[in-house]
Amino acid sequence: MPREIVMPQLSETMTEGDLVAWLVPEGAKLRAGEPIAEIETDKSSVELEAPEDGTLERIVVRAGAQAVAVGQVLAILRGVEERDAAPAITTTAEIAAVARLEQTPALREAPRRAVAPRGASPLARRMAAHSGLDIEAIPGSGADGRIVRSDVERALGRLAKPRVAGEPERAAPDSESYRVERLSRARRTIGERLGAAKRDIPHFYLHVECEIGASASLREQLNLRSQTRHYSLTDFVVRATALALREVPALNASFVDGELRLHAEVDVAIAVASDAGLITPIVRSAARKSLAEISDEARELVARAREGRLAPHEYQGGTFSVSNLGMFGVDGLYAIVNPPQLAILGVGRVHPRPIARDGAVVVEPVTQLTLSAD
């Protein structure tokens, strides 16, 4: 019997997903594990793989379909043995279909023959190949110069061009004064959850200004000594937060179904802005890890979060969150609690400030920390 390819359940809370694109056409010969479609969940984009060798006999759900229920049939796959034993094609429609496929062998084989260049996300590579662009010639704006979707869109001229200085601003016709951009499933879900959190959780805020001269000095020394690792302020904040939560376990907890769950491990989630929206990769057992281990793990997680390549277990289940906007020049922020967690720490920019110490005035780097709690 032909095998049904269905919308997978990629996390415990997933009930539906969007079918963004098919990576292979009907009639394509597939190998087990070969990416065949791109699916967007409420957190990231993932590639659906062929479960076995065979032929993609029929696509049931077309690309662009939204809110496809988990378990719904997406396509029909005929196995190798079934394909070889299939009856001869006799109808005019079947003959025409086969003729069309035989005229496009390059299209069927392209997914297997393509060599993925380094430094580009899978989605960016596919967009560039589809548009006939040389991806290696596109400047990358991602982590370490990695090429992401927005870079390809920019190369295609899809993004709005800035007005040249001194050029008179022209009023556009009403029909062209704006463009509609479909919200991704991730952005829709983020909006719903943050709205519910702000509405249902009685937030209160604790604000403190911290002198971080010693930490800044240590960070500078470590970065000078290291040839492969670059420590960020977020690394220090995550490490300090993890140690503090170990000392105050009542805050390392979740509120679920009317009960308070105190967690044995400190799993710190880091808020990251990506093209798909806000996502929170998690440094697991952070209180047990050194500063160097946290730095390495956080850098890898953040890079993959911005490219939409996190697995569900890497962004679900944190016990506390940290959001740092200091790199954007923000003095401080009052972040929204991410349920079912109890609190989130907002981190502002580092800037010099006069401090009174021992009867004298000294200038020290300071940062503002704001705890939003339930």
Side-chain angles (χ1 to χ4, degrees), residues 143 148 272-276 279 301-309 328:
V148 295
V272 176
S274 69
D275 288 343
I279 192 168
L301 286 169
V302 169
R304 290 193 291 111
R306 287 173 175 157
E307 297 164 2
R309 297 190 298 116
F328 300 112

Side-chain angles (χ1 to χ4, degrees), residues 66-91:
Q66 300 181 23
V68 181
V70 169
Q72 182 172 336
V73 177
L74 303 178
I76 303 298
L77 176 69
R78 183 174 292 278
V80 175
E81 295 180 0
E82 295 170 315
R83 184 190 67 218
D84 294 341
I89 299 172
T90 56
T91 68

Side-chain angles (χ1 to χ4, degrees), residues 9-16 42 193 316:
Q9 184 174 26
L10 302 174
S11 66
E12 294 181 358
T13 59
M14 178 180 171
T15 59
E16 58 186 29
D42 59 352
R193 291 181 177 175
Q316 294 180 347

Side-chain angles (χ1 to χ4, degrees), residues 56-217:
L56 188 63
E57 186 174 77
R58 182 164 60 94
I59 291 176
V60 178
V61 177
R62 296 298 171 183
Q66 300 181 23
V68 181
V70 169
Q72 182 172 336
V73 177
L74 303 178
I76 303 298
L77 176 69
R78 183 174 292 278
V80 175
E81 295 180 0
E82 295 170 315
R83 184 190 67 218
D84 294 341
I89 299 172
T90 56
T91 68
T92 302
E94 289 174 327
I95 292 173
V98 171
R100 287 195 300 271
L101 290 172
E102 289 177 346
Q103 292 172 2
T104 58
L107 181 60
R108 297 201 310 274
E109 298 298 331
R112 289 198 293 272
R113 291 203 307 264
V115 178
R118 293 184 178 180
S121 70
L123 179 57
R125 290 196 299 269
R126 290 194 297 273
M127 291 174 62
H130 178 74
S131 304
L133 296 178
D134 179 4
I135 196 165
E136 295 183 355
I138 299 175
S141 62
D144 298 325
R146 188 177 181 84
I147 303 167
V148 295
R149 179 183 64 186
S150 59
D151 299 322
V152 181
E153 291 177 338
R154 189 175 293 107
L156 291 171
R158 294 178 183 171
L159 300 183
K161 296 181 180 179
R163 185 166 57 91
V164 178
E167 180 183 0
E169 185 174 357
R170 300 175 182 176
D174 291 344
S175 60
E176 299 180 2
S177 61
Y178 64 90
R179 65 184 179 90
V180 176
E181 181 175 321
R182 183 182 70 87
L183 291 179
S184 66
R185 172 164 297 277
R187 288 192 181 277
R188 295 198 305 270
T189 302
I190 290 168
E192 293 169 358
R193 291 181 177 175
L194 288 181
K198 190 66 174 177
R199 180 181 64 248
D200 299 336
I201 296 177
H203 285 60
F204 74 95
Y205 306 96
L206 301 176
H207 178 82
V208 65
E209 191 172 72
C210 295
E211 299 177 30
I212 61 168
S215 296
S217 177

